[in-house]
Amino acid sequence: MAETVLSFVLRQLLTFLHEEGRLLGGLRPEVQFIMDELEQMRAFLREAEAREEDAQPTLQQWIKQVRDAAYDTEDILDEFVARFARHDATGFYGSVRRIFSSIKNLRARHRVASEIQSIKSRIESISAGHQRYQSEYGISAQASNSLSAVNDTTWSYSRDDALLVEEAKLVGIDQPKKHLISELLKGDDYQLKVVSVVGMGGLGKTTLVKKVHEDPEVRRHFPVRAWVTVSETCDFQFLLKDLIRQLHEAGKKPVPRWIESMTTTQLKEIIKDFLQQAGRYAIVFDDVWDVEFWNTIKFVMPESSRGSRVMLTTRKVDVASASCIESRGLVYRMKPLSFENSWILFCNKIFKGNSCPGHLMDVAKGILDKCEGLPLAILAISGLLALKDVNRTEEWEMVRRSLGGELEGTGKLDRVKRILSLSYNDLPGHLKTCLLYTSIFPEDYEIACIRLINLWIAERYVEWREGISIEDVAWGYFSELVNRSLIQVTRVFYEGIPQYCRIHDLLRAVILLKSREQNMVTVTTGQLMTWPSDKVRRLVVHSGSSNNTQHHQQRRNYCFDHLRSFVTVGSRNPLLSKMLLSEISRSSKLLKVLDFGGQNRVEEIPNEIFNLFHLKHLDLWGTRMEIVPKAIGKLQHLEYLNLGNTGVRELPMEILNLQKLRFLEVYQLVDSSDDDYGAHGFKAPSNMGRLLALHKLSCIDASSGSAILKEIGKLTQLRELRITKLRREDGKVLCSSLANLTSLRELSVQSIGKGDDHEIIDLNHHHPSSSSSSLFLQFLRMLVLRGRLEKMPQWVAHLHGLVRIDLDWSRLRGEEDPLESLQHLPNLSKINFRGSYQGEGLCFKAGGFLKLKWMYLKRMEGLRWMRVEEGALPRLRELFLQQLPLLEELPLGIQHLIHLQRLSLYEMSSQLREKLLENQKEESEDYRRIAHIPEILIGYYTDDRKWRHRNLWAEKKKTYNLS
């Protein structure tokens, strides 16, 4: 994957020449030559790497040489900058220092010049190989720039895989098939309707659509049908000719003989004329990769098509959506098989429908877990296991342990690797790098999305774009990988903001193989291993235990001179991590990323860390640090500093030297067992407003008075701001500063105090009628107010972009109903109320909260009743009620919440709990009102303070057939 590395390094070199080129002096032409030569090789590499697996060893070795030369060039220049870019002092003393440094470093400059010359010689030699292989393989740079990077052999494998799924008589397909047939047949409209089936490779999309397309009822309804395999490498003219042949054969008309000599435009006219005269038709475009394909082919389809249908299969959400928008069609997201259906498919393939032997049950389930409902993987692995002796458990156990390694073979599992690799190969270079970087996380690990985003930025995988913040660009990359079904979002923070994600186990195995090919990441779990001979560039420590002596011996085999990143992920071996940190801080002068989050036994970091000139990302979340040394000011390239959940309560003045700092988080939870009580912030230096690059500031202690709040008003690039210990009298100053923060997306304000003892938050100092009202917090998406409120701020009702609001300990009186100012906010999708209302009742009125999906009400001791009018909360999916001791009845009108998926009742009144669990008959009115809700959870403490958690339908679902 040298092309991916090369693209990344070329971006780095371009940035270097722009920002630090003045330091090179006479060496600048040499570096420019290296860049030019690498740029010429890049296009050839894209095509050559698609053939690498089948190529001669000499080409594979050449590709490795290019990758290593690119890496070494980056290393040399970074070393150069670290040594010579520090001496920017001015005046007499600055001149003396520069002269002294020039004399002192003269020998070092000669060494750098020599190394650059050496790299230039290597590049010249590699370039000669480039010309030779370009001629030998018949690849031109122009041809390499085509959209495709996948050869015909690879594509034939993917079609074979579709047939493999077809042969298996896939289970679990009946319900999706019925649903899609219903969508095709329903409605009397005469407009063309498009149905798109989207999902990751290997889910069985082609199989499902083929079953639908060939269903007898569909065949009767649509007399003219065609199936067109598009693929990533389709020849558009060939595709049009194939479609013409199929349509004419289906219509029992002779195929025009002259189509071979026609232009693309003429071919499209023939198809459109045919379809206008034909009866109802159904056309399938299987495996569409590009929105542009649909934008081209759609003009062939007549607008008024007598109720005709088009179906697409694709791996990309944007393709599916684009094809359905105009026709108001259906986007059907293909889901993995359930474990039950996976087990049936697994046993059908291996045991011919018989049950699995008892001695293989555990290992078989372990293998199946890794398939995660992917039919292609289940069939391929089943085919492999069918060849194993069922009486030898150790053979099956070996497959389970080495499943990732099995993908490197050439048997049935190689099919899985190839079809999953298609999605990877289709990615542009910058997204390939970002996806490969996910290999730093362990198997089955739930990845915090914001952590991944910030690591991408720190590693310089995200390109700066004019007029767009770097965070937005990175989130765009993330969304693209989600849309391509390569990353799965598992939890959302609030609407539109993913919180956690993961990678399918088998896709991760493919990513690991490709990451290993280019020496991208070195992972240790603390177990015995052989260190790679390549230079370690990114070292990741996963959880694991080890023998300390063993690691002391292994440590000497590390080559840390070229290390760029040191990351710990869930490591529970603090001795190993601390030892590595000490070693790295002494020998790794090029380190850019140090992510030590979660190491709760670490109390300080080595002083050598503050000499790392290139350090951009320092994550010390969850450590036991209490004091930040003044030396932090030496890290002038630092952009990310995370001291969240530490004991740090004050930052030194030297923090103001970090003019590139973009992310600053420092806090400690007030109550580590309950985040309802918020966090302690940090006391900031008096001139905090000098950190003009800040995008996130959390959590700043405002108890020192209005001066610090005025400083916040200078940070006009802020997108996230969290303030603690706000005094009532400082509310006016805060509102004045907030008026300057026109880019703010998230705001959290906490007053002095804890729980019921919070001081009043007074933010009623900006009036919606003022001339600047349209600009006040216009981009705010999340608002958290933690503290007493006499009344809701007037401007909240005008936050039309607000998606989530949290009110904690507001203690609003009955006459200050919080729902009044919120119910008509057009984008509000999530509400959290904790101790926020003292009234007896809440009424959700018809036409209110039209977008709300999640609502959490907690610790409202006076609440006696809730009412939902018909037409209110039409999209509510989850209702969470906790610690409402006086609420003795279910919310009136709960039957109107037809989209409610989960009702959670935790620590409620004993009367309500007994009604639902014990005293009421199953045919009671209460049960009838909630019978439509799929999941109802009841949690409570028993008299002896033991926690009980019950699913109501576990006992009732047979009566109501709610399974």
Side-chain angles (χ1 to χ4, degrees), residues 6 10 33-44:
L6 198 57
L10 281 169
F33 171 84
I34 293 170
M35 273 190 62
D36 293 343
E37 289 295 307
L38 291 175
E39 181 65 55
Q40 289 185 32
M41 295 178 205
R42 181 167 60 166
F44 170 74

Side-chain angles (χ1 to χ4, degrees), residues 257-271:
R257 297 180 181 178
W258 56 87
I259 62 173
E260 293 299 331
S261 59
M262 284 187 169
T263 65
T264 299
T265 302
Q266 290 171 327
L267 292 171
K268 288 195 283 189
E269 287 175 353
I270 284 185
I271 295 171

Side-chain angles (χ1 to χ4, degrees), residues 7 121 146 266 373 644 823:
S7 297
S121 298
S146 65
Q266 290 171 327
Q823 61 181 333

Side-chain angles (χ1 to χ4, degrees), residues 40-52 55 59 62-63 129-146 148-149 151:
Q40 289 185 32
M41 295 178 205
R42 181 167 60 166
F44 170 74
L45 273 170
R46 187 179 301 118
E47 190 75 13
E49 287 185 318
R51 309 185 182 197
E52 184 177 4
L59 177 59
W62 180 84
I63 291 172
H130 170 213
Q131 304 298 327
R132 182 170 67 256
Y133 291 122
Q134 187 169 315
S135 173
E136 181 178 336
Y137 282 84
I139 302 171
S140 67
Q142 288 75 19
S144 302
N145 286 322
S146 65
S148 168
N151 57 25

Side-chain angles (χ1 to χ4, degrees), residues 717-732:
Q717 294 194 55
L718 275 181
R719 296 157 63 88
E720 297 181 38
L721 172 63
R722 288 172 172 77
I723 296 171
T724 66
K725 295 191 176 181
L726 179 73
R727 303 182 306 176
R728 179 175 185 172
E729 60 266 30
D730 293 328
K732 185 174 183 179

